[in-house]
Amino acid sequence: MHLTDPWWVYVLRGAGVYLGLLIVLRLIGKRAFGDMTTFDIVVLMLVGSTLRIAITGEDKSPLSAVIGVIPIFILDKAIGWACARWPWLDRVVEGKDSLLARDGRVLEDALRRHDMSEAAFRRALREKGLHEIGDVVEARLEANGKVSVLKASRNGE
C-alpha cells in the first residue's frame, strides 16, 4: 500500500482533529449529544465525513485511515487516564453538572443557559416516570448531557 504523504502527517492530522473536535464540543456545551434529535444525527454524519477528509486528505488508502485513527485512540485513552487521576482536568474536559430544578420549581435561567426548552425538560422528566414538576426534589443536567432526577418520596413509598 502506498501513502500519498509521509505516515507522520496522518498521525498529526488525526491528533489535531481529535483535540480540535474535543475543544469545539466542550465549547458547544453539555446538551450537544445528550438528547440526539434527527438534526443532531445529520450534523454528526456530516461532521464525521468532513473530518475523515481532514485526517486522510486525498489519500483513499485504508492504511492512511488506520494511521490517522491510531493517535485518536491513544489520545482518548491518555486523556481518560489523566482525568481519572486529576479531578481538575476532568472538570475542564468533561465539565460539571448544572442544577435545572429544585423542590418542584424549574430554574428557567438554567434551562436557557443550556439551550433546553421547558418542553424538552418536561419530556426528560416524563422519561424518568414523573408527571408533575412538583414531584422533583432536584433535577440536574449532567456533564454527559443527560438529565438526572431525584424524585420526592411519597408517604408510604
Side-chain angles (χ1 to χ4, degrees):
M1 288 191 209
H2 175 70
L3 298 172
T4 58
D5 291 312
W7 66 269
W8 53 267
V9 170
Y10 302 104
V11 170
L12 291 177
R13 286 180 184 166
V17 165
Y18 174 81
L19 293 173
L21 188 59
L22 187 64
I23 290 167
V24 167
L25 288 175
R26 185 67 185 94
L27 292 173
I28 286 174
K30 290 179 254 197
R31 250 193 105 239
F33 297 104
D35 186 19
M36 291 191 56
T37 64
T38 304
F39 176 76
D40 297 324
I41 293 168
V42 169
V43 169
L44 189 61
M45 290 170 53
L46 292 171
V47 167
S49 176
T50 302
L51 293 179
R52 183 205 59 81
I53 295 166
I55 294 171
T56 61
E58 296 299 317
D59 195 325
K60 293 184 177 30
S61 71
L63 185 58
S64 68
V66 170
I67 292 171
V69 167
I70 289 172
I72 293 172
F73 287 126
I74 292 170
L75 277 171
D76 189 62
K77 184 70 174 170
I79 289 172
W81 179 88
C83 286
R85 282 151 184 81
W86 296 299
W88 66 268
L89 182 61
D90 187 56
R91 280 190 305 280
V92 169
V93 172
E94 294 289 333
K96 61 180 192 163
D97 61 283
S98 299
L99 187 64
L100 299 177
R102 174 172 274 152
D103 299 325
R105 289 189 0 209
V106 176
L107 303 175
E108 300 203 13
D109 287 344
L111 292 181
R112 276 194 297 278
R113 189 170 46 256
H114 296 291
D115 300 325
M116 181 181 285
S117 69
E118 190 161 341
F121 177 65
R122 290 189 182 277
R123 187 171 45 251
L125 293 181
R126 287 190 299 276
E127 288 171 358
K128 306 288 185 195
L130 294 166
H131 299 286
E132 298 294 328
I133 190 69
D135 295 335
V136 174
V137 171
E138 188 175 277
R140 292 186 172 274
L141 180 61
E142 300 294 344
N144 65 3
K146 302 289 183 186
V147 175
S148 64
V149 180
L150 297 175
K151 302 174 188 178
S153 62
R154 299 209 186 259
N155 293 335
E157 287 185 32

